[in-house]
Amino acid sequence: MSPEKQRVAIAEACGWKRGESECWWKNGFWAMFNDDLPDYLNDLNAMHEAEKVLNGVRRAVFEFALLHEVLKRPEPFNYDRGDIMAVITATAAQRAEAFLRTVGKWEKSA
């Protein structure tokens, strides 16, 4: 899945809407082009905001996806020191992949 497709999919999951002429908007904020959307794959602050749309079971699914599908930590899910450090030090790109897996928008690369 290309970085641009990931960025657009996360933006849509976070409530950004595409208008005419490639413009995006959310809660009174405008982004003129895809490049003006938050940089979810490189900005931990942007991913922190994206993760706020996950609650309840989806939050648990996100944690599982991040640890086991993206970071390849072994099961069981123990919340041991290694698991906690893996989550704390996960990059924005790793969090973005786990987020997209959680919301059902992840596409495997060909």
Side-chain angles (χ1 to χ4, degrees):
M1 185 171 194
S2 75
E4 182 170 350
K5 284 183 83 173
Q6 290 179 55
R7 194 172 182 187
V8 167
I10 294 170
E12 290 172 341
C14 291
W16 284 90
K17 305 286 184 205
R18 190 187 314 242
E20 296 179 26
S21 306
E22 300 277 328
C23 292
W24 290 85
W25 60 274
K26 177 185 175 185
N27 299 331
F29 294 98
W30 286 89
M32 293 302 293
F33 304 102
N34 291 354
D35 290 345
D36 296 328
L37 292 170
D39 189 5
Y40 298 109
L41 279 65
N42 296 298
D43 184 346
L44 283 169
N45 291 322
M47 273 315 302
H48 176 73
E49 289 301 312
E51 290 168 26
K52 288 180 181 180
V53 304
L54 304 175
N55 53 33
V57 173
R58 280 189 141 185
R59 184 68 193 173
V61 171
F62 171 78
E63 292 171 6
F64 183 90
L66 181 60
L67 278 172
H68 301 297
E69 295 175 17
V70 178
L71 299 174
K72 307 295 186 205
R73 296 284 302 173
E75 293 187 50
F77 200 23
N78 291 326
Y79 277 115
D80 65 12
R81 188 172 192 283
D83 287 343
I84 292 168
M85 289 306 296
V87 169
I88 289 171
T89 59
T91 67
Q94 291 167 329
R95 290 173 175 278
E97 179 180 338
F99 180 92
L100 291 168
R101 287 174 180 274
T102 300
V103 299
K105 298 289 184 179
W106 180 253
E107 298 173 7
K108 291 183 180 182
S109 297

